[in-house]
Amino acid sequence: MSYRLTIVVPVYNEEDNLQRVEKEFLQYFKMATVPCKILFVNDGSKDKSQYYIEEICNRDERFTYISFAQNAGLSAAIKAGFDHTDTPLVGYIDADLQTTPEDFNKLLDEMDDCVLVTGVRADRKDSFVKNMSSKIANGIRRAFTHDGMDDTGCPLKIIQTDYAKRIPMFKGLHRFLPAMILLQNGKIKQVPVRHFPRIAGEAKFGLWNRLLGPLMDCFAYLWMKKKYINYTVEKTSRG
């Protein structure tokens, strides 16, 4: 099969969610608008996540994995997923499935004229504190980046792979993916997607890394924007 989309699923201590991830994607494969496959990135999990990942991959060749020697963080897991993708498009979804794979079709519908399409979580099913901290953090980030995106923390995105591979990732930069595509002069768009309560496992982000951490990352982004190198090759000696 000629796959068009690789969906990266970062995993950190999600043993209670992985069988549901398998079930949801087996359903999505039947309705996906392009042929796709899954790439688990095990970010140094200390539970039985790796065991379940290998079981899933052994059952179906559309599921693949890479596993870190130790925990490196969400941005590193996403970057590794981008680096190991060999399809024209690369997507991303969290293993907690607070967003649904079905909504990848909504994003794919908008990819014809876009480099990146990201979801916006409609009617979020999180706590008041989590919703407010995310809203404040998004407002601060927009003021720094001017990317026009309302919810860059939404764990549902699709990017053209050649652009994704050129993103210089560092810790926390997963929130700045749309802004980094704009630095490459790529078109971005946001699409409303569904959001669900977390059923199992524990959230990996608290108030600090949801609000204060991203504020510090904004200054890192401004430094990178000033130093960012972008070029277009017009022609070569080989034509």
PDB file of all heavy atoms in Angstrom, residues 8-13 18 38-54 57 63-73 76-78 80-81 84:
ATOM      1  N   VAL A   8       1.607  10.360  14.026  1.00  0.00           N
ATOM      2  CA  VAL A   8       2.505  10.172  15.165  1.00  0.00           C
ATOM      3  C   VAL A   8       1.691  10.185  16.456  1.00  0.00           C
ATOM      4  O   VAL A   8       0.868  11.088  16.680  1.00  0.00           O
ATOM      5  CB  VAL A   8       3.574  11.280  15.200  1.00  0.00           C
ATOM      6  CG1 VAL A   8       4.464  11.136  16.436  1.00  0.00           C
ATOM      7  CG2 VAL A   8       4.409  11.254  13.916  1.00  0.00           C
ATOM      8  N   VAL A   9       1.915   9.176  17.299  1.00  0.00           N
ATOM      9  CA  VAL A   9       1.232   9.077  18.592  1.00  0.00           C
ATOM     10  C   VAL A   9       2.286   9.035  19.695  1.00  0.00           C
ATOM     11  O   VAL A   9       2.838   7.972  19.989  1.00  0.00           O
ATOM     12  CB  VAL A   9       0.331   7.830  18.667  1.00  0.00           C
ATOM     13  CG1 VAL A   9      -0.437   7.809  19.997  1.00  0.00           C
ATOM     14  CG2 VAL A   9      -0.637   7.762  17.499  1.00  0.00           C
ATOM     15  N   PRO A  10       2.618  10.171  20.311  1.00  0.00           N
ATOM     16  CA  PRO A  10       3.555  10.151  21.434  1.00  0.00           C
ATOM     17  C   PRO A  10       2.942   9.413  22.622  1.00  0.00           C
ATOM     18  O   PRO A  10       1.759   9.571  22.916  1.00  0.00           O
ATOM     19  CB  PRO A  10       3.761  11.638  21.764  1.00  0.00           C
ATOM     20  CG  PRO A  10       3.305  12.375  20.545  1.00  0.00           C
ATOM     21  CD  PRO A  10       2.205  11.539  19.975  1.00  0.00           C
ATOM     22  N   VAL A  11       3.751   8.618  23.297  1.00  0.00           N
ATOM     23  CA  VAL A  11       3.255   7.811  24.421  1.00  0.00           C
ATOM     24  C   VAL A  11       4.185   7.974  25.606  1.00  0.00           C
ATOM     25  O   VAL A  11       5.398   7.747  25.494  1.00  0.00           O
ATOM     26  CB  VAL A  11       3.175   6.314  24.029  1.00  0.00           C
ATOM     27  CG1 VAL A  11       2.755   5.477  25.231  1.00  0.00           C
ATOM     28  CG2 VAL A  11       2.210   6.105  22.877  1.00  0.00           C
ATOM     29  N   TYR A  12       3.617   8.357  26.741  1.00  0.00           N
ATOM     30  CA  TYR A  12       4.374   8.372  27.995  1.00  0.00           C
ATOM     31  C   TYR A  12       3.456   7.874  29.105  1.00  0.00           C
ATOM     32  O   TYR A  12       2.522   8.561  29.509  1.00  0.00           O
ATOM     33  CB  TYR A  12       4.907   9.762  28.317  1.00  0.00           C
ATOM     34  CG  TYR A  12       5.711   9.802  29.610  1.00  0.00           C
ATOM     35  CD1 TYR A  12       6.874   9.037  29.734  1.00  0.00           C
ATOM     36  CD2 TYR A  12       5.295  10.560  30.690  1.00  0.00           C
ATOM     37  CE1 TYR A  12       7.606   9.044  30.911  1.00  0.00           C
ATOM     38  CE2 TYR A  12       6.028  10.569  31.884  1.00  0.00           C
ATOM     39  CZ  TYR A  12       7.180   9.813  31.977  1.00  0.00           C
ATOM     40  OH  TYR A  12       7.906   9.816  33.154  1.00  0.00           O
ATOM     41  N   ASN A  13       3.691   6.647  29.539  1.00  0.00           N
ATOM     42  CA  ASN A  13       2.901   6.012  30.605  1.00  0.00           C
ATOM     43  C   ASN A  13       1.405   6.035  30.288  1.00  0.00           C
ATOM     44  O   ASN A  13       0.594   6.546  31.056  1.00  0.00           O
ATOM     45  CB  ASN A  13       3.170   6.693  31.951  1.00  0.00           C
ATOM     46  CG  ASN A  13       4.598   6.508  32.424  1.00  0.00           C
ATOM     47  OD1 ASN A  13       5.306   5.620  31.956  1.00  0.00           O
ATOM     48  ND2 ASN A  13       5.026   7.342  33.363  1.00  0.00           N
ATOM     49  N   LEU A  18      -3.822   2.398  25.505  1.00  0.00           N
ATOM     50  CA  LEU A  18      -3.296   1.943  24.223  1.00  0.00           C
ATOM     51  C   LEU A  18      -4.217   0.958  23.491  1.00  0.00           C
ATOM     52  O   LEU A  18      -4.296   0.980  22.261  1.00  0.00           O
ATOM     53  CB  LEU A  18      -1.910   1.331  24.418  1.00  0.00           C
ATOM     54  CG  LEU A  18      -0.829   2.394  24.678  1.00  0.00           C
ATOM     55  CD1 LEU A  18       0.468   1.744  25.134  1.00  0.00           C
ATOM     56  CD2 LEU A  18      -0.590   3.237  23.428  1.00  0.00           C
ATOM     57  N   ILE A  38       0.322   4.350  11.478  1.00  0.00           N
ATOM     58  CA  ILE A  38       0.537   4.929  12.802  1.00  0.00           C
ATOM     59  C   ILE A  38       1.985   4.720  13.225  1.00  0.00           C
ATOM     60  O   ILE A  38       2.557   3.641  13.005  1.00  0.00           O
ATOM     61  CB  ILE A  38      -0.386   4.268  13.847  1.00  0.00           C
ATOM     62  CG1 ILE A  38      -1.836   4.249  13.363  1.00  0.00           C
ATOM     63  CG2 ILE A  38      -0.254   4.971  15.192  1.00  0.00           C
ATOM     64  CD1 ILE A  38      -2.387   5.590  12.956  1.00  0.00           C
ATOM     65  N   LEU A  39       2.574   5.750  13.821  1.00  0.00           N
ATOM     66  CA  LEU A  39       3.910   5.640  14.387  1.00  0.00           C
ATOM     67  C   LEU A  39       3.851   6.016  15.863  1.00  0.00           C
ATOM     68  O   LEU A  39       3.709   7.186  16.218  1.00  0.00           O
ATOM     69  CB  LEU A  39       4.886   6.565  13.647  1.00  0.00           C
ATOM     70  CG  LEU A  39       6.302   6.654  14.226  1.00  0.00           C
ATOM     71  CD1 LEU A  39       6.975   5.278  14.245  1.00  0.00           C
ATOM     72  CD2 LEU A  39       7.145   7.653  13.440  1.00  0.00           C
ATOM     73  N   PHE A  40       3.904   5.005  16.732  1.00  0.00           N
ATOM     74  CA  PHE A  40       4.014   5.265  18.161  1.00  0.00           C
ATOM     75  C   PHE A  40       5.431   5.735  18.476  1.00  0.00           C
ATOM     76  O   PHE A  40       6.404   5.166  17.976  1.00  0.00           O
ATOM     77  CB  PHE A  40       3.746   3.993  18.977  1.00  0.00           C
ATOM     78  CG  PHE A  40       2.330   3.504  18.945  1.00  0.00           C
ATOM     79  CD1 PHE A  40       2.000   2.330  18.288  1.00  0.00           C
ATOM     80  CD2 PHE A  40       1.320   4.201  19.597  1.00  0.00           C
ATOM     81  CE1 PHE A  40       0.697   1.850  18.270  1.00  0.00           C
ATOM     82  CE2 PHE A  40       0.012   3.729  19.599  1.00  0.00           C
ATOM     83  CZ  PHE A  40      -0.302   2.552  18.918  1.00  0.00           C
ATOM     84  N   VAL A  41       5.539   6.764  19.310  1.00  0.00           N
ATOM     85  CA  VAL A  41       6.839   7.179  19.822  1.00  0.00           C
ATOM     86  C   VAL A  41       6.781   7.038  21.344  1.00  0.00           C
ATOM     87  O   VAL A  41       6.161   7.853  22.022  1.00  0.00           O
ATOM     88  CB  VAL A  41       7.195   8.619  19.427  1.00  0.00           C
ATOM     89  CG1 VAL A  41       8.581   8.979  19.973  1.00  0.00           C
ATOM     90  CG2 VAL A  41       7.152   8.793  17.915  1.00  0.00           C
ATOM     91  N   ASN A  42       7.396   5.982  21.856  1.00  0.00           N
ATOM     92  CA  ASN A  42       7.388   5.737  23.290  1.00  0.00           C
ATOM     93  C   ASN A  42       8.464   6.596  23.943  1.00  0.00           C
ATOM     94  O   ASN A  42       9.665   6.356  23.791  1.00  0.00           O
ATOM     95  CB  ASN A  42       7.637   4.256  23.583  1.00  0.00           C
ATOM     96  CG  ASN A  42       7.569   3.946  25.072  1.00  0.00           C
ATOM     97  OD1 ASN A  42       7.183   4.792  25.881  1.00  0.00           O
ATOM     98  ND2 ASN A  42       7.949   2.737  25.441  1.00  0.00           N
ATOM     99  N   ASP A  43       8.019   7.600  24.685  1.00  0.00           N
ATOM    100  CA  ASP A  43       8.913   8.588  25.279  1.00  0.00           C
ATOM    101  C   ASP A  43       9.421   8.126  26.652  1.00  0.00           C
ATOM    102  O   ASP A  43       9.214   8.783  27.665  1.00  0.00           O
ATOM    103  CB  ASP A  43       8.172   9.930  25.394  1.00  0.00           C
ATOM    104  CG  ASP A  43       9.031  11.046  25.950  1.00  0.00           C
ATOM    105  OD1 ASP A  43      10.266  10.927  25.870  1.00  0.00           O
ATOM    106  OD2 ASP A  43       8.461  12.034  26.450  1.00  0.00           O
ATOM    107  N   GLY A  44      10.084   6.962  26.658  1.00  0.00           N
ATOM    108  CA  GLY A  44      10.676   6.469  27.893  1.00  0.00           C
ATOM    109  C   GLY A  44       9.676   6.080  28.964  1.00  0.00           C
ATOM    110  O   GLY A  44       9.923   6.305  30.158  1.00  0.00           O
ATOM    111  N   SER A  45       8.544   5.506  28.565  1.00  0.00           N
ATOM    112  CA  SER A  45       7.518   5.110  29.536  1.00  0.00           C
ATOM    113  C   SER A  45       8.072   4.137  30.567  1.00  0.00           C
ATOM    114  O   SER A  45       8.897   3.274  30.250  1.00  0.00           O
ATOM    115  CB  SER A  45       6.328   4.456  28.822  1.00  0.00           C
ATOM    116  OG  SER A  45       5.683   5.373  27.971  1.00  0.00           O
ATOM    117  N   LYS A  46       7.579   4.252  31.810  1.00  0.00           N
ATOM    118  CA  LYS A  46       8.032   3.392  32.890  1.00  0.00           C
ATOM    119  C   LYS A  46       6.985   2.336  33.256  1.00  0.00           C
ATOM    120  O   LYS A  46       7.204   1.530  34.163  1.00  0.00           O
ATOM    121  CB  LYS A  46       8.393   4.236  34.111  1.00  0.00           C
ATOM    122  CG  LYS A  46       9.492   5.254  33.842  1.00  0.00           C
ATOM    123  CD  LYS A  46       9.885   6.004  35.087  1.00  0.00           C
ATOM    124  CE  LYS A  46      10.918   7.085  34.777  1.00  0.00           C
ATOM    125  NZ  LYS A  46      12.115   6.555  34.093  1.00  0.00           N
ATOM    126  N   ASP A  47       5.839   2.364  32.562  1.00  0.00           N
ATOM    127  CA  ASP A  47       4.815   1.351  32.810  1.00  0.00           C
ATOM    128  C   ASP A  47       4.899   0.284  31.718  1.00  0.00           C
ATOM    129  O   ASP A  47       5.961   0.049  31.149  1.00  0.00           O
ATOM    130  CB  ASP A  47       3.425   2.006  32.879  1.00  0.00           C
ATOM    131  CG  ASP A  47       3.045   2.696  31.580  1.00  0.00           C
ATOM    132  OD1 ASP A  47       3.842   2.650  30.601  1.00  0.00           O
ATOM    133  OD2 ASP A  47       1.950   3.275  31.510  1.00  0.00           O
ATOM    134  N   LYS A  48       3.791  -0.357  31.395  1.00  0.00           N
ATOM    135  CA  LYS A  48       3.793  -1.423  30.395  1.00  0.00           C
ATOM    136  C   LYS A  48       3.445  -0.925  28.991  1.00  0.00           C
ATOM    137  O   LYS A  48       3.080  -1.721  28.119  1.00  0.00           O
ATOM    138  CB  LYS A  48       2.808  -2.525  30.807  1.00  0.00           C
ATOM    139  CG  LYS A  48       3.195  -3.262  32.088  1.00  0.00           C
ATOM    140  CD  LYS A  48       2.198  -4.360  32.405  1.00  0.00           C
ATOM    141  CE  LYS A  48       2.583  -5.114  33.671  1.00  0.00           C
ATOM    142  NZ  LYS A  48       1.598  -6.178  33.990  1.00  0.00           N
ATOM    143  N   SER A  49       3.589   0.372  28.755  1.00  0.00           N
ATOM    144  CA  SER A  49       3.237   0.926  27.446  1.00  0.00           C
ATOM    145  C   SER A  49       3.993   0.241  26.302  1.00  0.00           C
ATOM    146  O   SER A  49       3.401  -0.091  25.269  1.00  0.00           O
ATOM    147  CB  SER A  49       3.512   2.426  27.412  1.00  0.00           C
ATOM    148  OG  SER A  49       2.621   3.137  28.237  1.00  0.00           O
ATOM    149  N   GLN A  50       5.298   0.027  26.463  1.00  0.00           N
ATOM    150  CA  GLN A  50       6.079  -0.581  25.383  1.00  0.00           C
ATOM    151  C   GLN A  50       5.584  -1.987  25.070  1.00  0.00           C
ATOM    152  O   GLN A  50       5.527  -2.395  23.897  1.00  0.00           O
ATOM    153  CB  GLN A  50       7.563  -0.597  25.737  1.00  0.00           C
ATOM    154  CG  GLN A  50       8.473  -1.162  24.643  1.00  0.00           C
ATOM    155  CD  GLN A  50       8.407  -0.369  23.353  1.00  0.00           C
ATOM    156  OE1 GLN A  50       8.120   0.823  23.354  1.00  0.00           O
ATOM    157  NE2 GLN A  50       8.662  -1.036  22.236  1.00  0.00           N
ATOM    158  N   TYR A  51       5.214  -2.739  26.093  1.00  0.00           N
ATOM    159  CA  TYR A  51       4.678  -4.089  25.876  1.00  0.00           C
ATOM    160  C   TYR A  51       3.427  -4.028  25.000  1.00  0.00           C
ATOM    161  O   TYR A  51       3.300  -4.773  24.017  1.00  0.00           O
ATOM    162  CB  TYR A  51       4.357  -4.738  27.213  1.00  0.00           C
ATOM    163  CG  TYR A  51       3.556  -6.020  27.094  1.00  0.00           C
ATOM    164  CD1 TYR A  51       4.176  -7.227  26.779  1.00  0.00           C
ATOM    165  CD2 TYR A  51       2.169  -6.011  27.274  1.00  0.00           C
ATOM    166  CE1 TYR A  51       3.440  -8.395  26.653  1.00  0.00           C
ATOM    167  CE2 TYR A  51       1.430  -7.174  27.156  1.00  0.00           C
ATOM    168  CZ  TYR A  51       2.065  -8.359  26.841  1.00  0.00           C
ATOM    169  OH  TYR A  51       1.328  -9.521  26.707  1.00  0.00           O
ATOM    170  N   TYR A  52       2.502  -3.132  25.338  1.00  0.00           N
ATOM    171  CA  TYR A  52       1.267  -3.029  24.571  1.00  0.00           C
ATOM    172  C   TYR A  52       1.520  -2.498  23.163  1.00  0.00           C
ATOM    173  O   TYR A  52       0.879  -2.924  22.193  1.00  0.00           O
ATOM    174  CB  TYR A  52       0.260  -2.139  25.303  1.00  0.00           C
ATOM    175  CG  TYR A  52      -0.336  -2.782  26.528  1.00  0.00           C
ATOM    176  CD1 TYR A  52      -0.062  -2.293  27.801  1.00  0.00           C
ATOM    177  CD2 TYR A  52      -1.167  -3.895  26.430  1.00  0.00           C
ATOM    178  CE1 TYR A  52      -0.596  -2.890  28.937  1.00  0.00           C
ATOM    179  CE2 TYR A  52      -1.716  -4.497  27.553  1.00  0.00           C
ATOM    180  CZ  TYR A  52      -1.418  -3.993  28.801  1.00  0.00           C
ATOM    181  OH  TYR A  52      -1.952  -4.593  29.923  1.00  0.00           O
ATOM    182  N   ILE A  53       2.452  -1.568  23.031  1.00  0.00           N
ATOM    183  CA  ILE A  53       2.789  -1.044  21.707  1.00  0.00           C
ATOM    184  C   ILE A  53       3.291  -2.165  20.802  1.00  0.00           C
ATOM    185  O   ILE A  53       2.878  -2.292  19.642  1.00  0.00           O
ATOM    186  CB  ILE A  53       3.847   0.074  21.831  1.00  0.00           C
ATOM    187  CG1 ILE A  53       3.218   1.337  22.418  1.00  0.00           C
ATOM    188  CG2 ILE A  53       4.484   0.374  20.479  1.00  0.00           C
ATOM    189  CD1 ILE A  53       4.220   2.419  22.775  1.00  0.00           C
ATOM    190  N   GLU A  54       4.185  -2.995  21.316  1.00  0.00           N
ATOM    191  CA  GLU A  54       4.727  -4.090  20.508  1.00  0.00           C
ATOM    192  C   GLU A  54       3.648  -5.102  20.163  1.00  0.00           C
ATOM    193  O   GLU A  54       3.628  -5.641  19.035  1.00  0.00           O
ATOM    194  CB  GLU A  54       5.894  -4.747  21.239  1.00  0.00           C
ATOM    195  CG  GLU A  54       7.105  -3.838  21.363  1.00  0.00           C
ATOM    196  CD  GLU A  54       8.300  -4.531  21.984  1.00  0.00           C
ATOM    197  OE1 GLU A  54       8.374  -5.783  21.926  1.00  0.00           O
ATOM    198  OE2 GLU A  54       9.178  -3.825  22.531  1.00  0.00           O
ATOM    199  N   CYS A  57       1.635  -3.570  17.317  1.00  0.00           N
ATOM    200  CA  CYS A  57       2.383  -3.556  16.060  1.00  0.00           C
ATOM    201  C   CYS A  57       2.533  -4.956  15.471  1.00  0.00           C
ATOM    202  O   CYS A  57       2.564  -5.131  14.244  1.00  0.00           O
ATOM    203  CB  CYS A  57       3.751  -2.911  16.272  1.00  0.00           C
ATOM    204  SG  CYS A  57       3.681  -1.147  16.672  1.00  0.00           S
ATOM    205  N   PHE A  63       0.680  -0.366  12.124  1.00  0.00           N
ATOM    206  CA  PHE A  63       1.175   0.218  13.369  1.00  0.00           C
ATOM    207  C   PHE A  63       2.676  -0.040  13.483  1.00  0.00           C
ATOM    208  O   PHE A  63       3.124  -1.190  13.383  1.00  0.00           O
ATOM    209  CB  PHE A  63       0.465  -0.399  14.584  1.00  0.00           C
ATOM    210  CG  PHE A  63      -1.002  -0.083  14.667  1.00  0.00           C
ATOM    211  CD1 PHE A  63      -1.940  -0.916  14.068  1.00  0.00           C
ATOM    212  CD2 PHE A  63      -1.446   1.035  15.356  1.00  0.00           C
ATOM    213  CE1 PHE A  63      -3.305  -0.642  14.156  1.00  0.00           C
ATOM    214  CE2 PHE A  63      -2.804   1.322  15.458  1.00  0.00           C
ATOM    215  CZ  PHE A  63      -3.734   0.487  14.844  1.00  0.00           C
ATOM    216  N   THR A  64       3.455   1.013  13.688  1.00  0.00           N
ATOM    217  CA  THR A  64       4.901   0.898  13.860  1.00  0.00           C
ATOM    218  C   THR A  64       5.300   1.682  15.110  1.00  0.00           C
ATOM    219  O   THR A  64       4.481   2.411  15.680  1.00  0.00           O
ATOM    220  CB  THR A  64       5.653   1.442  12.636  1.00  0.00           C
ATOM    221  OG1 THR A  64       5.312   2.833  12.452  1.00  0.00           O
ATOM    222  CG2 THR A  64       5.267   0.672  11.375  1.00  0.00           C
ATOM    223  N   TYR A  65       6.558   1.554  15.520  1.00  0.00           N
ATOM    224  CA  TYR A  65       6.965   2.284  16.721  1.00  0.00           C
ATOM    225  C   TYR A  65       8.447   2.584  16.706  1.00  0.00           C
ATOM    226  O   TYR A  65       9.247   1.932  16.022  1.00  0.00           O
ATOM    227  CB  TYR A  65       6.613   1.499  17.989  1.00  0.00           C
ATOM    228  CG  TYR A  65       7.519   0.317  18.295  1.00  0.00           C
ATOM    229  CD1 TYR A  65       8.711   0.485  19.009  1.00  0.00           C
ATOM    230  CD2 TYR A  65       7.182  -0.971  17.869  1.00  0.00           C
ATOM    231  CE1 TYR A  65       9.534  -0.588  19.293  1.00  0.00           C
ATOM    232  CE2 TYR A  65       7.998  -2.051  18.148  1.00  0.00           C
ATOM    233  CZ  TYR A  65       9.170  -1.858  18.859  1.00  0.00           C
ATOM    234  OH  TYR A  65       9.995  -2.921  19.128  1.00  0.00           O
ATOM    235  N   ILE A  66       8.812   3.603  17.474  1.00  0.00           N
ATOM    236  CA  ILE A  66      10.178   3.824  17.918  1.00  0.00           C
ATOM    237  C   ILE A  66      10.092   4.047  19.426  1.00  0.00           C
ATOM    238  O   ILE A  66       9.071   4.504  19.935  1.00  0.00           O
ATOM    239  CB  ILE A  66      10.862   5.021  17.221  1.00  0.00           C
ATOM    240  CG1 ILE A  66      10.070   6.309  17.443  1.00  0.00           C
ATOM    241  CG2 ILE A  66      11.050   4.756  15.749  1.00  0.00           C
ATOM    242  CD1 ILE A  66      10.744   7.532  16.847  1.00  0.00           C
ATOM    243  N   SER A  67      11.155   3.716  20.144  1.00  0.00           N
ATOM    244  CA  SER A  67      11.131   3.811  21.598  1.00  0.00           C
ATOM    245  C   SER A  67      12.393   4.505  22.090  1.00  0.00           C
ATOM    246  O   SER A  67      13.507   4.115  21.715  1.00  0.00           O
ATOM    247  CB  SER A  67      11.016   2.417  22.224  1.00  0.00           C
ATOM    248  OG  SER A  67      10.927   2.491  23.633  1.00  0.00           O
ATOM    249  N   PHE A  68      12.239   5.540  22.906  1.00  0.00           N
ATOM    250  CA  PHE A  68      13.369   6.260  23.472  1.00  0.00           C
ATOM    251  C   PHE A  68      14.008   5.456  24.608  1.00  0.00           C
ATOM    252  O   PHE A  68      13.319   4.726  25.325  1.00  0.00           O
ATOM    253  CB  PHE A  68      12.928   7.610  24.031  1.00  0.00           C
ATOM    254  CG  PHE A  68      12.564   8.643  22.998  1.00  0.00           C
ATOM    255  CD1 PHE A  68      12.040   9.865  23.390  1.00  0.00           C
ATOM    256  CD2 PHE A  68      12.747   8.416  21.648  1.00  0.00           C
ATOM    257  CE1 PHE A  68      11.701  10.841  22.468  1.00  0.00           C
ATOM    258  CE2 PHE A  68      12.415   9.369  20.706  1.00  0.00           C
ATOM    259  CZ  PHE A  68      11.886  10.593  21.115  1.00  0.00           C
ATOM    260  N   ALA A  69      15.300   5.664  24.806  1.00  0.00           N
ATOM    261  CA  ALA A  69      16.002   5.031  25.913  1.00  0.00           C
ATOM    262  C   ALA A  69      15.579   5.641  27.247  1.00  0.00           C
ATOM    263  O   ALA A  69      15.595   4.967  28.277  1.00  0.00           O
ATOM    264  CB  ALA A  69      17.511   5.169  25.732  1.00  0.00           C
ATOM    265  N   GLN A  70      15.166   6.921  27.211  1.00  0.00           N
ATOM    266  CA  GLN A  70      14.714   7.595  28.420  1.00  0.00           C
ATOM    267  C   GLN A  70      13.760   8.716  28.036  1.00  0.00           C
ATOM    268  O   GLN A  70      13.701   9.125  26.872  1.00  0.00           O
ATOM    269  CB  GLN A  70      15.896   8.165  29.204  1.00  0.00           C
ATOM    270  CG  GLN A  70      16.739   9.147  28.407  1.00  0.00           C
ATOM    271  CD  GLN A  70      18.027   9.514  29.121  1.00  0.00           C
ATOM    272  OE1 GLN A  70      18.431   8.852  30.060  1.00  0.00           O
ATOM    273  NE2 GLN A  70      18.676  10.573  28.661  1.00  0.00           N
ATOM    274  N   ASN A  71      13.015   9.205  29.018  1.00  0.00           N
ATOM    275  CA  ASN A  71      12.046  10.261  28.766  1.00  0.00           C
ATOM    276  C   ASN A  71      12.735  11.526  28.280  1.00  0.00           C
ATOM    277  O   ASN A  71      13.697  11.995  28.878  1.00  0.00           O
ATOM    278  CB  ASN A  71      11.258  10.546  30.052  1.00  0.00           C
ATOM    279  CG  ASN A  71      10.258  11.669  29.877  1.00  0.00           C
ATOM    280  OD1 ASN A  71      10.429  12.734  30.447  1.00  0.00           O
ATOM    281  ND2 ASN A  71       9.226  11.434  29.100  1.00  0.00           N
ATOM    282  N   ALA A  72      12.240  12.082  27.156  1.00  0.00           N
ATOM    283  CA  ALA A  72      12.841  13.283  26.573  1.00  0.00           C
ATOM    284  C   ALA A  72      11.835  14.408  26.410  1.00  0.00           C
ATOM    285  O   ALA A  72      12.215  15.525  26.048  1.00  0.00           O
ATOM    286  CB  ALA A  72      13.479  12.953  25.221  1.00  0.00           C
ATOM    287  N   GLY A  73      10.542  14.138  26.623  1.00  0.00           N
ATOM    288  CA  GLY A  73       9.539  15.182  26.530  1.00  0.00           C
ATOM    289  C   GLY A  73       8.746  15.135  25.236  1.00  0.00           C
ATOM    290  O   GLY A  73       9.156  14.527  24.238  1.00  0.00           O
ATOM    291  N   ALA A  76      10.327  16.433  21.891  1.00  0.00           N
ATOM    292  CA  ALA A  76      11.290  15.474  21.347  1.00  0.00           C
ATOM    293  C   ALA A  76      10.582  14.309  20.672  1.00  0.00           C
ATOM    294  O   ALA A  76      11.006  13.833  19.613  1.00  0.00           O
ATOM    295  CB  ALA A  76      12.207  14.964  22.456  1.00  0.00           C
ATOM    296  N   ALA A  77       9.491  13.832  21.275  1.00  0.00           N
ATOM    297  CA  ALA A  77       8.742  12.721  20.688  1.00  0.00           C
ATOM    298  C   ALA A  77       8.141  13.118  19.347  1.00  0.00           C
ATOM    299  O   ALA A  77       8.164  12.345  18.383  1.00  0.00           O
ATOM    300  CB  ALA A  77       7.644  12.270  21.654  1.00  0.00           C
ATOM    301  N   ILE A  78       7.592  14.341  19.280  1.00  0.00           N
ATOM    302  CA  ILE A  78       7.023  14.809  18.020  1.00  0.00           C
ATOM    303  C   ILE A  78       8.117  14.967  16.964  1.00  0.00           C
ATOM    304  O   ILE A  78       7.956  14.564  15.806  1.00  0.00           O
ATOM    305  CB  ILE A  78       6.266  16.134  18.232  1.00  0.00           C
ATOM    306  CG1 ILE A  78       5.040  15.902  19.115  1.00  0.00           C
ATOM    307  CG2 ILE A  78       5.839  16.742  16.897  1.00  0.00           C
ATOM    308  CD1 ILE A  78       4.329  17.177  19.522  1.00  0.00           C
ATOM    309  N   ALA A  80      10.973  13.406  16.790  1.00  0.00           N
ATOM    310  CA  ALA A  80      11.401  12.074  16.352  1.00  0.00           C
ATOM    311  C   ALA A  80      10.400  11.475  15.376  1.00  0.00           C
ATOM    312  O   ALA A  80      10.779  10.822  14.398  1.00  0.00           O
ATOM    313  CB  ALA A  80      11.576  11.156  17.565  1.00  0.00           C
ATOM    314  N   GLY A  81       9.109  11.705  15.638  1.00  0.00           N
ATOM    315  CA  GLY A  81       8.088  11.229  14.715  1.00  0.00           C
ATOM    316  C   GLY A  81       8.238  11.855  13.341  1.00  0.00           C
ATOM    317  O   GLY A  81       8.157  11.172  12.309  1.00  0.00           O
ATOM    318  N   HIS A  84      11.207  10.371  11.455  1.00  0.00           N
ATOM    319  CA  HIS A  84      11.060   8.983  11.012  1.00  0.00           C
ATOM    320  C   HIS A  84       9.860   8.777  10.081  1.00  0.00           C
ATOM    321  O   HIS A  84       9.500   7.633   9.790  1.00  0.00           O
ATOM    322  CB  HIS A  84      10.946   8.050  12.230  1.00  0.00           C
ATOM    323  CG  HIS A  84      12.239   7.878  12.970  1.00  0.00           C
ATOM    324  ND1 HIS A  84      12.728   8.820  13.855  1.00  0.00           N
ATOM    325  CD2 HIS A  84      13.165   6.878  12.949  1.00  0.00           C
ATOM    326  CE1 HIS A  84      13.879   8.403  14.348  1.00  0.00           C
ATOM    327  NE2 HIS A  84      14.163   7.234  13.826  1.00  0.00           N
TER     328      HIS A  84
END
